[in-house]
Amino acid sequence: MSKKNVAVIPGDGIGPEVINAALKVIEKVAPGKFNFKSVAMGGNAIDKFGEPLPAESLKICQDSDATLLGAVGGPKWDNVPPEIRPERGLLGVRKGLEAFANIRPAKIFKPLASACPLRKDIAEKGIDFIIVRELTGGIYFGEHKLFNLNGERAASDLMQYTEHEIKRIAHVAFKMAMTRRKIVTSVDKANILTSSRLWRDIVIEVSKEYPEIKLNHLYVDNAAMQLIKDPSQFDVIVTENTFGDILSDEASQIAGSIGMIPSASLGDNNRGLYEPIHGSAPDIAGQDKANPIATILAGAMMLRYSFEMYDEANKIENAVDNVLNSGLRTPDIYVNSEGTKLITGSEMLNEIISRL
Ligand code: NAD
């Protein structure tokens, strides 16, 4: 196999620390298989180029076979004009890669079951679902306006979806469910929002092509409750951008720490963007406290979804399981109990590498 090109966006805060860990792990399981090209994006790009996503950075990502991202942002750039905030770079790269489907697994790692904030009997029923979030449409990409209304300040953000955008994300969800327990839960607010009523109609239309799948619908407020009440009922949840953003953060807490969960953003061509779900954690940056597992698992997702390197991806996931089973914990997942030991982020990396 010729070498594959991977654009790497270390980003800001703990981004470079966790990316460094993921690259070391990938190099260990698949030595010499990739050309990694580092790309400026986020706050560091604002400092250097005056914008969060220089055209050259986006071009490198678009020309690569996959993109691996740490995290961007931080207090230093909190007051820059909205159009050049680090998060704009993030939205730009997702849009530029036409990565319209965000895949977030929410799975409880058995050794971390005690870290689940839900009641023991609920956690023990098992938590293993995927949230498929629409990523390039909806309110985050609609028109944003600040204006004057009857002499006072007013603001509006437009929530808009097209048939084509809903159809393609529904297909991703149904296809994923076909490889799992064959249940899709579509989350909307169809009792109030017109965009949600269109969403529901189209999801139902697409479901006709997948007769083996059991399709449920939940309003987003009920979905937020059900995630706490009985997450074991879910297999694949599909929802629009904003609802997905909120529900997947909720799900991340159910499944343990934000430092454990990877995500993939896929387009039609399998050129995915892979990243941890956490941000740049400026409060712990440079202190060797960051848990690298989410980004390492994002690397495993990249191997699986973009490069079909299933054995290598499984090896990484098994090594992570193995380290957790041995009781080693970074601060974010540490609970002082018998058999657990507190370690740093770089020690966590070394422990994972030694088990590959
Ligand atoms: P955050 O995810 O950065 O941090 C939330 C909390 O989780 C913090 O206490 C942090 O220390 C902890 N945490 C996060 N990742 C961790 C890890 N790997 N190991 C251990 N602990 C971890 O969210 P925030 O504080 O809301 O945002 C900080 C900055 O990150 C902001 O500028 C925000 O805009 C940006 N952000 C970026 C992304 C991204 O790049 N995808 C996502 C979310 C937030």
Side-chain angles (χ1 to χ4, degrees):
M1 173 175 103
S2 63
K3 278 196 178 188
K4 297 288 184 188
N5 293 313
V6 174
V8 177
I9 304 175
D12 311 309
I14 62 168
E17 300 169 39
V18 293
I19 277 289
N20 170 52
L23 294 185
K24 284 194 168 139
V25 167
I26 293 169
E27 232 358 83
K28 174 83 181 181
V29 290
K33 296 264 168 68
F34 299 103
N35 288 317
F36 296 113
K37 191 153 194 186
S38 187
V39 173
M41 202 270 271
N44 60 88
I46 298 173
D47 289 349
K48 231 174 163 176
F49 305 106
E51 52 180 331
L53 180 62
E56 171 68 10
S57 293
L58 180 59
K59 172 111 184 36
I60 293 171
C61 298
Q62 287 169 327
D63 290 344
S64 298
D65 300 301
T67 299
L68 191 60
L69 164 72
V72 298
K76 184 176 174 194
W77 305 282
D78 275 352
N79 297 316
V80 301
E83 62 283 6
I84 62 157
R85 281 189 61 113
E87 295 76 10
R88 287 276 155 183
L90 205 54
L91 299 181
V93 88
R94 286 174 182 163
K95 193 93 182 169
L97 288 173
E98 293 172 42
F100 64 85
N102 183 243
I103 317 295
R104 281 200 197 183
K107 185 175 170 174
I108 215 150
F109 284 82
K110 278 217 177 86
L112 295 185
S114 62
C116 175
L118 300 183
R119 250 186 11 233
K120 198 163 170 256
D121 59 308
I122 297 175
E124 279 175 353
K125 282 169 87 178
I127 297 172
D128 181 5
F129 62 91
I130 288 180
I131 297 187
V132 178
R133 165 187 166 196
E134 202 291 325
L135 203 58
T136 54
I139 206 163
Y140 292 175
F141 289 95
E143 188 192 2
H144 306 292
K145 274 197 305 195
L146 192 59
F147 56 102
N148 191 292
L149 185 67
N150 303 327
E152 61 177 343
R153 283 177 300 166
S156 80
D157 303 284
L158 179 71
M159 169 84 143
Q160 180 174 298
Y161 268 106
T162 65
E163 186 174 354
H164 149 77
E165 287 172 321
I166 303 169
K167 250 185 199 159
R168 63 183 184 179
I169 191 80
H171 278 293
V172 170
F174 285 111
K175 282 185 182 139
M176 290 232 155
M178 286 301 288
T179 67
R180 297 173 48 94
R181 302 199 311 277
K182 298 193 171 63
I183 307 166
V184 169
T185 304
S186 173
V187 171
D188 60 40
K189 191 70 184 170
N191 50 342
I192 296 183
L193 301 177
T194 312
S195 56
S196 278
R197 280 196 282 278
L198 179 69
W199 177 279
R200 191 176 282 215
D201 287 349
I202 291 174
V203 170
I204 292 171
E205 283 165 31
V206 172
S207 73
K208 308 246 155 68
E209 294 178 43
Y210 302 87
E212 286 171 61
I213 302 282
K214 181 173 172 357
L215 172 65
N216 306 311
H217 303 275
L218 283 184
Y219 296 137
V220 61
D221 40 350
N222 189 15
M225 284 196 293
Q226 295 299 329
L227 277 173
I228 301 290
K229 208 171 152 203
D230 181 15
S232 71
Q233 68 184 284
F234 296 116
D235 180 21
V236 175
I237 294 174
V238 61
T239 191
E240 66 86 39
N241 204 345
T242 313
F243 298 161
D245 191 4
I246 297 165
L247 293 181
S248 42
D249 270 15
E250 184 186 356
S252 74
Q253 288 307 299
I254 296 168
S257 157
I258 200 167
M260 297 288 303
I261 303 177
S263 83
S265 305
L266 307 175
D268 278 327
N269 48 13
N270 266 10
R271 282 185 192 217
L273 170 69
Y274 299 87
E275 55 187 314
I277 66 159
H278 60 72
S280 60
D283 53 331
I284 56 166
Q287 299 168 39
D288 205 8
K289 286 182 182 163
N291 185 348
I293 290 179
T295 316
I296 289 171
L297 292 176
M301 285 179 95
M302 178 180 85
L303 298 183
R304 179 174 289 124
Y305 291 129
S306 281
F307 302 118
E308 296 177 2
M309 296 170 73
Y310 302 108
D311 286 350
E312 291 84 347
N314 288 339
K315 259 190 205 162
I316 295 175
E317 287 161 358
N318 290 340
V320 169
D321 248 349
N322 197 309
V323 173
L324 294 173
N325 271 321
S326 70
L328 299 171
R329 305 276 186 271
T330 43
D332 56 311
I333 50 173
Y334 179 69
V335 187
N336 187 359
S337 64
E338 208 189 312
T340 60
K341 187 181 166 212
L342 184 63
I343 59 172
T344 63
S346 49
E347 284 168 339
M348 178 57 88
L349 166 65
N350 292 336
E351 293 292 340
I352 292 170
I353 286 192
S354 73
R355 285 164 172 82
L356 286 167

